[in-house]
Amino acid sequence: MSTYVYGITRDSHPPLPEETVGVGDPPRPVRVVAAGPLAALVSDAPPDLKPKRRELLAHQNVLAEASSAGPVLPMRFGGVSPDDDAVTTALAAHEEHYLERLRALDGKAEYNVKATHDEEAVLHRVLTDAPGLRELHEANKAAGGGSHE
């Protein structure tokens, strides 16, 4: 069976909770495949994997869980290897590169920040700060275009 790869970390990375599951229907248990100082977070790959919301969230959740305990090099969604042996071969072949990238992540954190704005307040600020735009806005309103307050 093919192996789905979520990310790469050090073999000393704290283990994921036993109930951690990834992609598939039913969701496949996530396990660790180690090679020297590196480890890959993997599961069996479902044969009919599609980038559906449920699958994308499962991939993201595995990475979020793992990242909460230390640095992880995330793989993009859909990373499948022929088997676990192919994963260990790839880890060994690129060991120094992966270790260097993990060292670069030590002590770092990732944040997902979302911002919203009040459209009227932003428009007012832009029109106040840019007289040329304010004149165009007024001319547009006078000609019957745009919004009328």
Side-chain angles (χ1 to χ4, degrees), residues 28-93:
R28 309 309 206 262
V30 176
R31 62 184 188 282
V32 174
V33 173
L38 295 170
L41 305 171
V42 305
S43 67
D44 290 342
D48 57 348
L49 183 65
K50 303 250 188 303
K52 295 182 178 177
R53 187 176 200 287
R54 178 186 71 225
E55 305 295 7
L56 294 167
L57 287 174
H59 180 91
Q60 180 180 336
N61 289 340
V62 170
L63 290 172
E65 182 70 42
S67 297
S68 70
V72 176
L73 300 176
M75 299 297 288
R76 102 173 71 167
F77 176 83
V80 176
S81 265
D83 55 30
D84 288 4
D85 289 339
V87 174
T88 58
T89 299
L91 290 175

Side-chain angles (χ1 to χ4, degrees), residues 115-135:
T116 61
H117 66 277
D118 177 344
E119 188 173 335
E120 287 298 319
V122 171
L123 179 60
H124 177 20
R125 177 66 187 257
V126 168
L127 295 177
T128 300
D129 291 349
L133 285 178
R134 184 174 54 247
E135 291 169 10

